Amino acid sequence: MKKLLCLMLIACLVFTLAACGGSSKEEAAETDVPKNEQEGTAGSNIPLKDNQEEAEKQIEIAMQELIEEAYGDKVDDSKIYIEKIYTAEDEQADEGLKTYDLGPDEVAFEVRYDLHPAEGTDVNELMAATGEYDEASGWVKDKFNLGVLRPNGDGTYKITDFGTGW
């Protein structure tokens, strides 16, 4: 009887260890997702620099706020095209950008955007530095800038260092 109980106990122990070993392999496989395939969610620890989709979303939001702040009621519509989000490797390769020493939740980017002037707006005011007026469409097109997206500290982001070069 003791031998039978001992064998049953050993069998249970082996099955338990095997089951635990299998689940840890599954958990490890779930966490081995490449950074470019990871998606951030509320409470996520993925740095913005490693989450392209979230970075694009936050750049668009911050660009809308920047356009509103810069032009106010002189613009009644805009279109934003994110041309490039710099990777950590890009930052280190660019001498000008390297001096910004950007953290994991700060991203450098290039953006092209179009502005539609509100009625009565002098389009020349919207073409400062970059952009061309397209008479056929009525839009100021191909404005281009570089910028850095930085956290505000309240879960939102702001654009700094916005200009035509680093």
Side-chain angles (χ1 to χ4, degrees), residues 9-129:
L9 182 60
I10 290 172
C12 285
L13 184 59
V14 168
F15 285 118
T16 303
L17 290 173
C20 288
S23 68
S24 65
K25 285 181 184 176
E26 290 171 6
E27 289 171 10
E30 289 176 11
T31 59
D32 291 338
V33 177
K35 287 183 180 180
N36 64 345
E37 294 178 14
Q38 296 175 3
E39 292 187 40
T41 58
S44 173
N45 290 340
I46 300 173
L48 188 63
K49 194 173 300 241
D50 295 330
N51 189 337
Q52 181 92 10
E53 187 176 313
E54 183 66 16
E56 286 181 15
K57 175 183 164 189
Q58 295 302 331
I59 290 168
E60 286 185 24
I61 292 169
M63 275 297 299
Q64 290 293 347
E65 292 172 0
L66 184 76
I67 290 169
E68 174 65 30
E69 182 181 309
Y71 300 108
D73 60 359
K74 295 177 182 178
V75 170
D76 61 15
D77 199 4
S78 63
K79 297 176 187 174
I80 299 168
Y81 310 95
I82 299 167
E83 299 287 315
K84 179 176 183 168
I85 296 176
Y86 286 78
T87 64
E89 293 81 16
D90 293 335
E91 292 170 13
Q92 292 307 308
D94 186 298
E95 288 302 316
L97 193 52
K98 189 189 301 188
T99 62
Y100 287 87
D101 194 28
L102 301 177
D105 286 323
E106 300 172 314
V107 292
F109 64 93
E110 296 178 9
V111 65
R112 184 176 50 83
Y113 55 106
D114 301 337
L115 303 173
H116 189 265
E119 191 173 327
T121 299
D122 179 3
V123 294
N124 292 315
E125 293 179 51
L126 306 181
M127 293 189 303

